[in-house]
Amino acid sequence: MISVVIPAYNERENIPILYEKLTKVLDGDYEIIFVDDGSKDGTFEVLKDIAQKDKQVKVIRFKRNYGQTAAMYAGFQHARGDVIITMDADLQNDPEDIPLLLKKLEEGYDLVSGWRKDRKDPFLSRKLPSVIANWIISKVTGVYLHDYGCTLKAYRSELLKELELYGDMHRFLPALTKRQGAKIAEIVVRHHPRLYGRSKYGIGRTVRVILDILLVKFLNEYINKPMYVFGFVGFVFLSVGLLALAYLLFVKLFLEESIGGRPLLILSALSILAGIQLISTGIIAELLVRIYYRSKEDKPYIIDQKINL
Ligand code: UDP
Ligand code: MG
């Protein structure tokens, strides 16, 4: 079964056209899950109409606008397919690319990501930051993709069920699934200019993306062992401090010089303190991580209504 997950925020005009196109492309066992992310333009009413006629269309309506990541996350948690396709609701992604993604997935990949090679968005505010961001994300995460920002992707659903998403994390799904050993491929997909509605993002997104990169890097490498990060730095400080102190002791006891006024004394004391602090922070972080994993049931969104689910 295939689940198509579509986040939609104020996309009233686009939904019926998208739905038509999807039904042309999809056949057999599938479901389309629209997540209405607190739209105020009547998107929900349009979705409700469609879902009443077509039971394969399912709708989740959020209480308020929680953002694209939460919308996709809710879709993943309700999806029943063994393959999940994500795409934008704004007709910029083309449903006709879905069969291509599925074909690639069958070649033995766990995630196939779309690459909007000929992207129809403004150059300065969107395409240029995107080129830079993709380069940095690829370098930092070690997962080389041309287009992290493209929502049109196909996943084996096991990859997504265990993931917890928040903030703007949907952009990093390839890097996050890599932790689970996912085999990732990229194929060129079509892209169209937005005809109806407005883009929900501007240039301000770039800064958030960069902060998220740091977070993803940390989560990917150290979430299970924060003690290593803090402990390592703490250990270095502690060793340097102890060595300096040993040297001062030697000077005091064997050379019988006064050490009371030496900056090195203060430095070694500080260094030892910093080392102890860092190591204990590491221990506390370890405890927090364990609690964090135990309290995973919390959901980062509140659902107002569900249809056909
Ligand atoms: N979206 C959402 N919640 C938000 C912002 C966006 O569900 O808070 C949806 C939006 O309706 C669209 C997709 O996420 O289906 C991508 O948004 P948009 O087209 O504005 O982004 P762009 O293509 O300009 O990067
Ligand atoms: Mg768009």
Side-chain angles (χ1 to χ4, degrees):
M1 179 173 181
I2 294 168
S3 301
V4 184
V5 171
I6 306 174
Y9 179 46
N10 296 340
E11 306 283 5
R12 181 182 57 204
E13 296 93 343
N14 294 312
I15 302 277
I17 309 172
L18 177 62
Y19 169 68
E20 282 301 318
K21 290 190 177 215
L22 277 169
T23 47
K24 285 215 184 78
V25 172
L26 297 169
D27 58 353
D29 198 14
Y30 69 87
E31 61 180 0
I32 305 173
I33 303 179
F34 283 102
V35 186
D36 172 12
D37 186 12
S39 301
K40 290 173 200 75
D41 70 340
T43 294
F44 180 69
E45 283 64 34
V46 176
L47 288 172
K48 199 165 149 185
D49 270 353
I50 297 174
Q52 263 154 11
K53 290 177 207 128
D54 184 346
K55 295 290 167 238
Q56 279 167 301
V57 173
K58 298 161 185 191
V59 181
I60 299 167
R61 183 194 204 183
F62 282 175
K63 281 256 187 216
R64 63 169 173 84
N65 179 241
Y66 282 95
Q68 192 180 346
T69 298
M72 290 172 67
Y73 184 41
F76 295 159
Q77 301 219 307
H78 289 81
R80 287 176 29 244
D82 29 48
V83 170
I84 296 179
I85 309 262
T86 55
M87 65 188 302
D88 285 347
D90 59 0
L91 297 171
Q92 291 200 268
N93 297 137
D94 197 321
E96 287 185 34
D97 285 318
I98 292 178
L100 303 179
L101 292 173
L102 293 174
K103 203 168 135 238
K104 194 76 187 170
L105 206 65
E106 270 161 31
E107 284 175 23
Y109 292 98
D110 302 304
L111 193 174
V112 180
S113 183
W115 171 15
R116 298 165 293 177
K117 199 170 180 180
D118 183 19
R119 188 171 167 185
K120 303 285 194 299
D121 278 322
F123 178 76
L124 262 186
S125 67
R126 308 307 290 277
K127 290 207 273 193
L128 185 64
S130 157
V131 169
I132 300 168
N134 283 310
W135 184 80
I136 300 177
I137 301 173
S138 295
K139 277 272 172 239
V140 171
T141 61
V143 181
Y144 286 82
L145 292 181
H146 293 93
D147 193 1
Y148 266 85
C150 180
T151 312
L152 184 58
K153 292 184 168 76
Y155 308 83
R156 289 197 191 286
S157 59
E158 312 91 81
L159 285 180
L160 300 176
K161 291 290 177 193
E162 292 302 312
L163 277 185
E164 199 185 3
L165 300 178
Y166 41 82
D168 272 343
M169 286 296 169
H170 67 272
R171 205 177 313 284
F172 300 100
L173 281 168
L176 293 170
T177 54
K178 190 194 126 185
R179 262 203 291 177
Q180 308 171 32
K183 274 182 74 186
I184 300 170
E186 190 174 40
I187 63 169
V188 173
V189 294
R190 280 158 272 215
H191 194 244
H192 306 292
R194 205 184 234 282
L195 295 179
Y196 307 103
R198 304 177 47 197
S199 173
K200 315 301 180 292
Y201 303 104
I203 188 83
R205 175 160 73 182
T206 318
V207 180
R208 285 188 287 149
V209 167
I210 289 170
L211 290 176
D212 278 341
I213 294 170
L214 296 176
L215 193 60
V216 166
K217 176 77 180 165
F218 183 82
L219 288 178
N220 247 354
E221 310 250 318
Y222 297 116
I223 187 67
N224 290 319
K225 38 186 178 163
M227 185 60 192
Y228 289 1
V229 188
F230 292 106
F232 176 74
V233 184
F235 187 74
V236 171
F237 271 100
L238 193 63
S239 314
V240 169
L242 286 174
L243 275 176
L245 198 65
Y247 167 73
L248 287 174
L249 267 177
F250 171 80
V251 171
K252 170 84 185 168
L253 296 178
F254 295 95
L255 306 182
E256 292 177 5
E257 287 173 25
S258 152
I259 56 167
R262 295 189 60 161
L264 190 62
L265 184 64
I266 299 170
L267 200 70
S268 67
L270 272 180
S271 191
I272 291 171
L273 256 180
I276 294 171
Q277 286 288 328
L278 279 164
I279 292 171
S280 24
T281 306
I283 296 171
I284 293 173
E286 284 281 344
L287 294 177
L288 281 179
V289 164
R290 281 169 208 187
I291 297 169
Y292 161 83
Y293 274 115
R294 224 178 292 152
S295 64
K296 254 189 154 177
E297 298 89 48
D298 291 355
K299 288 207 171 53
Y301 52 81
I302 297 173
I303 293 174
D304 179 47
Q305 262 187 70
K306 293 187 198 176
I307 306 179
N308 293 344
L309 272 170

